[in-house]
Amino acid sequence: MRNWYDLPTYYDVSFSYDMADELAFINNVFRKFIKSDKPKILEPACGTGRLLIPLIKKGFDCTGFDLNKNALTYLKHKLEKNSLHANIKYDDMINFSSRKKYDGIYCTVDTFRHILSEKSAIQHLENITKVLKKNGIYILGLHLIPKKKKVDKVIKWTSKRGRLTVKTIMSMIKLDKKKRRETLEVQLKIKRDKSTDSYTSKYSLRTYTLEQLLSTLDKIIDLEIINIYDEYYDISKPITLNSNSDYAVLLLRKK
C-alpha cells in the first residue's frame, strides 16, 4: 500500500480535475478584499501546487509549505519548468511560523481536516492569525457531517493529462462520529498508453458537524466570519449554513 501523497505526478493529475471554479473563487476573493497589485498569499499543505502555480500566473506573490518532500520536489520542478518563482518550504500545518505577513491564506477541500485533534486545530488557527495581516483573509473549505442528509460513501472521477489517465475512487470505509474520525481509502487506477497500474492508500480525517466547527472557530478571538459559500464557489451567492449542510467555504478575516 502506497501513500498517494508520495505519488506526486498521479496526485497532481487527479486533483487538477474540475478545479476551475475553486481557482476562480480564490482569485476573486483575494482581488476583492486585498488592496494590493501583488498580494502576498500563503497555502499551508500546498502539495504539488495545483492551485499555487496558476495563482502565481495570475500575479500573486505565493508561499507554500508541505510536509511531503516528494510533493515539494515535484512542485519545485514544475516551477522551474514554467520559469515561475514561489517561496516553497518544508513545514507542517500545526507548528508553522513566519516572519513574513500575508494578505491572504487559503486551505480548501478538507486539508484542515488532516489536523486530528482540537488542540492542534486551535494551534493551527492561532498560527494563521500570527502570520496574517490585519484585515487579511483566510479561506477555509471543508466537508461537514450533516445531521440527517446522507453522506456519499464513494466518489469517483477521472482526470487526463497528455497520455496519462488517472481514475480516482475515494471510499469512506469507516465513520466514527464519537471519535470524530473518517477513514478513507483511495484507489488510483493509472493508464499510460498501453500500460496500467494501480495504487491504494488509506488515511484518516477529523470530522466536523456545523456546531463543532463553529465551536472551534469561536475560540479564535482574532478571526471573524464575514461570508460563507458552498461547493459551487459562486462569490455572488453567499449562503447560510444549517445542520444539514455538508460543505462550507468560510471567509475569515483577521480583526
Side-chain angles (χ1 to χ4, degrees):
M1 186 172 291
R2 294 284 301 274
N3 183 339
W4 71 331
Y5 298 111
D6 290 331
L7 302 166
T9 299
Y10 304 146
Y11 177 89
D12 193 62
V13 173
S14 174
F15 267 90
S16 294
Y17 168 77
D18 197 25
M19 58 176 267
D21 291 342
E22 179 188 7
L23 177 62
F25 177 82
I26 294 171
N27 176 69
N28 291 338
V29 166
F30 288 153
R31 293 300 181 190
K32 178 178 179 179
F33 289 98
I34 299 171
K35 307 305 178 185
S36 171
D37 292 334
K38 196 174 181 67
K40 294 179 174 61
I41 61 173
L42 170 68
E43 182 180 7
C46 62
T48 59
R50 69 180 186 95
L51 292 168
L52 202 71
I53 284 180
L55 287 169
I56 295 169
K57 292 179 179 179
K58 290 181 179 294
F60 291 93
D61 179 356
C62 294
T63 297
F65 65 77
D66 203 281
L67 267 181
N68 190 291
K69 293 182 178 180
N70 290 340
L72 292 179
T73 298
Y74 181 88
L75 171 54
K76 290 175 182 178
H77 174 73
K78 282 207 304 182
L79 289 167
E80 183 178 347
K81 183 179 179 180
N82 288 277
S83 300
L84 298 172
H85 172 74
N87 302 301
I88 304 302
K89 302 186 292 184
Y90 177 81
D91 213 337
D92 72 89
M93 292 183 66
I94 301 168
N95 299 302
F96 70 94
S97 62
S98 174
R99 293 181 181 178
K100 186 176 181 179
K101 300 288 186 179
Y102 298 94
D103 300 296
I105 304 173
Y106 62 94
C107 184
T108 56
V109 195
D110 286 332
T111 303
F112 177 68
R113 293 177 58 210
H114 283 275
I115 302 172
L116 297 178
S117 73
E118 182 72 2
K119 180 180 179 181
S120 295
I122 294 299
Q123 187 172 341
H124 166 81
L125 292 167
E126 288 178 343
N127 284 337
I128 289 291
T129 66
K130 291 177 183 177
V131 303
L132 197 58
K133 294 179 182 178
K134 181 177 174 60
N135 295 319
I137 299 296
Y138 182 34
I139 303 174
L140 178 62
L142 69 161
H143 283 90
L144 302 173
I145 298 295
K147 191 171 184 178
K148 295 181 180 179
K149 186 177 177 181
K150 186 178 179 181
V151 178
D152 290 332
K153 292 189 176 182
V154 180
I155 304 172
K156 303 177 182 180
W157 68 91
T158 300
S159 307
K160 296 183 179 181
R161 182 180 296 166
R163 295 179 297 173
L164 177 63
T165 300
V166 179
K167 182 177 181 180
T168 306
I169 305 170
M170 183 178 289
S171 306
M172 182 177 67
I173 58 176
K174 186 177 181 180
L175 177 62
D176 189 327
K177 293 183 180 180
K178 186 175 181 179
K179 293 183 178 179
R180 296 181 62 180
R181 287 291 184 277
E182 179 182 12
T183 304
L184 297 173
E185 179 181 87
V186 178
Q187 291 180 287
L188 299 179
K189 296 187 176 182
I190 313 301
K191 183 177 180 181
R192 191 194 300 267
D193 296 330
K194 295 182 179 181
S195 66
T196 60
D197 210 339
S198 64
Y199 301 91
T200 301
S201 179
K202 290 183 182 180
Y203 62 98
S204 294
L205 299 175
R206 193 178 194 221
T207 64
Y208 286 87
T209 63
L210 173 59
E211 292 77 12
Q212 288 166 340
L213 176 61
L214 294 178
S215 174
T216 297
L217 293 174
D218 281 345
K219 297 171 185 175
I220 311 301
I221 60 174
D222 289 330
L223 288 177
E224 59 179 347
I225 300 173
I226 57 172
N227 264 328
I228 304 172
Y229 298 88
D230 58 21
E231 69 271 24
Y232 298 106
Y233 293 106
D234 188 340
I235 196 172
S236 68
K237 296 181 179 179
I239 64 167
T240 300
L241 294 175
N242 59 59
S243 61
N244 284 317
S245 298
D246 58 5
Y247 195 79
V249 183
L250 299 97
L251 300 194
L252 304 169
R253 180 166 56 197
K254 182 177 178 180
K255 299 177 183 178

